[in-house]
């Protein structure tokens, strides 16, 4: 019996909780047929028109516009193409980790593979390294210029790192967020700690680690940008810095030869943040 109801002309009638039953006509707007509520309806109450040829004639189902009109009529409002949820908020993602774990390498790759991100260019008083470009890798400024930026409160945060100043220009973040872009900040652990105090939970903090201490030290040696004394300071500092992991939201392992995996992981974090029901709200 039930199968007969479903497969016969019954399928042309629409049953809706607490709403009248309609028959869909291809020509006219649906009119109420009976005033049954769904809960009071019994199978035996249902109007099943006799159709002796039901096995041979094709089932006539309502067209899509008819079905939509009928649903709108019963619900008492039209369907709109407006998004069901608002677009996700822009995020600030802070990528940090000890010296030599591959922060620059991960960020440079992320820049290649992901649209809609603005990578904040940090201002620094340190001299340019071979191959670095002013305005791309850093804004290279003199010590005096840097200190005047501090005085004018142009920096979100700044620090003295290995004897040189580094700071994040506020204006750059505000400008790109206004354009709808997400912001990526690349900072050392000290900078991340300060940013956590300033931004709280409004930003996403990612801690990059190498697969082992040895791997990290080898990467620094291979990079050939530090003297032996500088290497000693960086490696000793890195040992201490791993203890700050707990104040981060995510950790990503950047293993030797697996840079793409680390970048994919960072992308997944961005996607997860964008899918959150309770979005972070950035306040600068
Ligand atoms: N997954 C990886 N596999 C192999 N080498 C890597 C990987 N990631 C980074 N490197 C290399 O390790 C070295 C250190 O990386 P990078 O300069 O990106 O580190 P960093 O965290 O930005 O360091 P710092 O904080 O000192 O600037 C670079 O020579 C880089 O090319």
């Amino acid at each position: 019996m039930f199968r007969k109801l479903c497969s016969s002309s019954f399928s042309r009638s629409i049953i809706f909780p607490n709403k009248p039953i309609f028959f869909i006509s291809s020509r006219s707007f649906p009119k109420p047929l009976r005033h049954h509520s769904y809960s009071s309806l019994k199978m035996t109450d249902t109007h099943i028109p006799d159709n002796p040829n039901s096995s041979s004639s094709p089932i006539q189902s309502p067209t899509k516009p008819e079905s939509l009109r009928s649903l709108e009529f019963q619900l008492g409002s039209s369907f709109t193409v407006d998004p069901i949820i608002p677009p996700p908020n822009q995020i600030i993602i802070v990528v940090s980790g000890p010296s030599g774990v591959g922060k620059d390498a991960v960020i440079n790759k992320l820049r290649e593979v992901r649209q809609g991100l603005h990578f904040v260019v940090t201002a620094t008083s340190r001299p340019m390294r071979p191959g670095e470009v002013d305005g791309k890798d850093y804004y290279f400024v003199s010590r005096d210029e840097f200190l005047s930026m501090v005085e004018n409160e142009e920096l979100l945060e700044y620090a003295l790192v290995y004897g040189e100043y580094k700071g994040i220009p506020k204006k750059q973040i505000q400008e790109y967020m206004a354009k709808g872009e997400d912001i990526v900040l690349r900072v050392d652990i000290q900078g991340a700690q300060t940013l956590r105090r300033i931004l709280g939970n409004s930003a996403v903090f990612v801690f990059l680690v190498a697969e082992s201490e040895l791997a990290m030290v080898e990467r620094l040696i291979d990079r050939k940008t530090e003297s032996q004394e500088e290497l000693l300071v960086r490696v000793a500092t890195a040992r201490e810095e791993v203890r700050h992991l707990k104040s981060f939201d995510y950790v990503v392992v950047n293993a030797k030869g697996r840079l793409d995996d680390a970048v994919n992981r960072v992308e997944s974090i961005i996607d997860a943040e964008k899918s959150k029901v309770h979005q972070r709200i950035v306040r600068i």
Side-chain angles (χ1 to χ4, degrees), residues 163-231:
E164 297 293 352
Y165 285 109
K166 281 185 181 178
I168 300 166
K170 267 188 212 168
K171 204 168 146 207
Q172 207 185 119
I173 298 179
Q174 289 158 342
E175 270 174 19
Y176 281 89
M177 285 191 90
K179 288 183 194 169
E181 299 207 2
D182 295 312
I183 303 295
V184 182
L185 293 169
R186 174 248 192 260
V187 289
D188 53 44
I189 301 285
Q190 189 188 339
Q193 299 292 111
T194 313
L195 283 176
R196 184 58 111 181
R197 278 196 295 279
I198 295 166
L199 299 171
N201 283 327
S202 71
V204 186
F205 288 76
V206 178
F207 193 101
L208 274 187
V209 284
E211 68 276 39
S212 68
E213 194 177 53
L214 177 62
M216 184 188 70
V217 178
E218 280 181 343
R219 268 179 231 173
L220 271 179
I221 295 169
D222 291 344
R223 191 169 70 178
K224 297 187 171 65
T225 49
E226 279 81 26
S227 65
Q228 195 64 23
E229 293 75 36
E230 285 169 333
L231 279 176

Side-chain angles (χ1 to χ4, degrees), residues 99-105 186 219 223 234 254-257 259:
S99 183
V101 291
K103 297 183 288 296
D104 281 340
R186 174 248 192 260
R219 268 179 231 173
R223 191 169 70 178
R234 283 180 187 245
N254 177 30
K256 186 175 182 181
L259 182 64

Side-chain angles (χ1 to χ4, degrees), residues 102-216:
K103 297 183 288 296
D104 281 340
V106 165
I107 285 198
N108 288 339
K109 189 77 190 173
L110 191 61
R111 199 192 298 269
E112 281 172 27
V113 300
R114 182 105 183 180
Q115 302 292 309
L117 298 177
H118 174 70
F119 298 83
V120 172
V121 182
T122 308
T124 183
S125 65
R126 85 154 161 74
M128 224 186 288
R129 287 177 190 155
E132 285 182 328
V133 178
D134 185 29
K136 181 171 171 276
D137 299 297
Y138 288 95
Y139 284 114
F140 294 97
V141 294
S142 68
R143 239 161 203 266
D144 286 349
E145 282 170 321
F146 194 98
L147 292 173
S148 86
M149 288 168 90
V150 173
E151 206 167 306
N152 296 330
E153 298 186 357
E154 291 172 29
L155 301 172
L156 180 64
E157 71 86 28
Y158 73 96
L160 194 59
V161 185
Y162 304 116
E164 297 293 352
Y165 285 109
K166 281 185 181 178
I168 300 166
K170 267 188 212 168
K171 204 168 146 207
Q172 207 185 119
I173 298 179
Q174 289 158 342
E175 270 174 19
Y176 281 89
M177 285 191 90
K179 288 183 194 169
E181 299 207 2
D182 295 312
I183 303 295
V184 182
L185 293 169
R186 174 248 192 260
V187 289
D188 53 44
I189 301 285
Q190 189 188 339
Q193 299 292 111
T194 313
L195 283 176
R196 184 58 111 181
R197 278 196 295 279
I198 295 166
L199 299 171
N201 283 327
S202 71
V204 186
F205 288 76
V206 178
F207 193 101
L208 274 187
V209 284
E211 68 276 39
S212 68
E213 194 177 53
L214 177 62
M216 184 188 70

Side-chain angles (χ1 to χ4, degrees), residues 236-247:
T237 309
R239 280 196 166 166
E240 288 300 306
E241 287 175 334
V242 177
R243 290 193 290 137
H244 295 289
L245 178 64
K246 284 197 195 90
S247 58

